[in-house]
Amino acid sequence: MSTPASEAVERRLYNALWWAKVQSAGPLAVDPDTPAVAGLARAAEPDGSTVWLVPMMPSGAGHAVLDELGTPPVAVEQPNETARVLAIVVACCWTDRSGSAWPGSVGTLAQVRAVYAGMRGRAEQSSDLTLIIGSLRRLHATHWIRWNEKAGEVRLGPRVINWTAADQATLRDLCRHLPDPPPPVLSTTPEAAEPEPLVPEAADE
């Protein structure tokens, strides 16, 4: 027969196991029935089939803390281009800016290329696509975006649920200064679903 003490120990072991997984692999896609984990927020995919477990970032966390939590900042390779492409993806995929950025909508490579050219104030050049694809791959690898290279479609990644109200206000202002993307032409029609509340479980006492 289990006791409150043994249940608390089991809970701590359960939380520790999931944190070890997150520290190893970054945000994790799990079955929606997976029990909550202390300190990990849950971000449901639009179709409801998968939930991401994402570490809640301590306020003012530096690079060492982010690395320890398995959530490194934007990849440093080509940092300016990578940050520029992330801003473009936000502009293309955060279409309802009165609400949260997650889960956002599906954008396309054609939209990203159009906004990129508009930001640079010139016609698209042959080298632009190489830079854009490289940035999309880096952002996908670090969970800032979800990049379907075969379909040429992109979405915001689960890490954006850690953006605070102040972060989102800054991003709204940034989006107002970016060129408007053309309407997306998608290979599939995404099914909308109500996202789960992004509330982490309280830590065990």
Side-chain angles (χ1 to χ4, degrees):
M1 180 177 178
S2 63
T3 65
S6 64
E7 290 175 357
V9 170
E10 290 177 2
R11 188 66 189 176
R12 291 191 179 94
L13 290 174
Y14 174 82
N15 291 337
L17 174 62
W18 279 106
W19 271 96
K21 291 179 179 179
V22 167
Q23 288 172 326
S24 174
L28 298 172
V30 299
D31 187 275
D33 294 333
T34 302
V37 181
L40 300 184
R42 297 165 64 88
E45 285 285 353
D47 62 4
S49 63
T50 303
V51 169
W52 289 90
L53 298 181
V54 185
M56 299 297 290
M57 295 296 99
S59 178
H63 283 226
V65 174
L66 296 175
D67 286 338
E68 183 180 349
L69 295 179
T71 56
V74 174
V76 295
E77 183 182 355
Q78 296 281 351
N80 292 338
E81 293 301 324
T82 303
R84 183 177 290 117
V85 170
L86 176 58
I88 292 171
V89 173
V90 171
C92 293
C93 298
W94 190 17
T95 52
D96 179 12
R97 292 175 196 149
S98 63
S100 173
W102 176 267
S105 58
V106 179
T108 66
L109 177 59
Q111 287 181 300
V112 174
R113 293 172 68 175
V115 177
Y116 186 93
M119 286 181 67
R120 303 301 294 266
R122 55 166 171 73
E124 184 176 3
Q125 298 183 358
S126 57
S127 60
D128 289 351
L129 182 58
T130 299
L131 291 170
I132 290 170
I133 294 296
S135 295
L136 291 171
R137 288 172 177 170
R138 286 189 290 275
L139 291 165
H140 175 84
T142 48
H143 301 283
W144 283 108
I145 67 170
R146 304 298 297 158
W147 165 233
N148 184 335
E149 190 159 349
K150 182 177 180 180
E153 295 176 354
V154 63
R155 289 180 41 234
L156 293 171
R159 285 185 64 177
V160 307
I161 68 171
N162 274 314
W163 284 341
T164 65
D167 294 332
Q168 296 193 54
T170 300
L171 289 165
R172 288 187 186 96
D173 185 62
L174 173 63
C175 289
R176 285 194 290 269
H177 291 85
L178 295 179
D180 290 329
V185 179
L186 305 177
S187 60
T188 58
T189 302
E191 295 181 3
E194 187 71 20
E196 282 194 20
L198 305 177
V199 180
E201 181 185 336
D204 293 327
E205 296 297 334

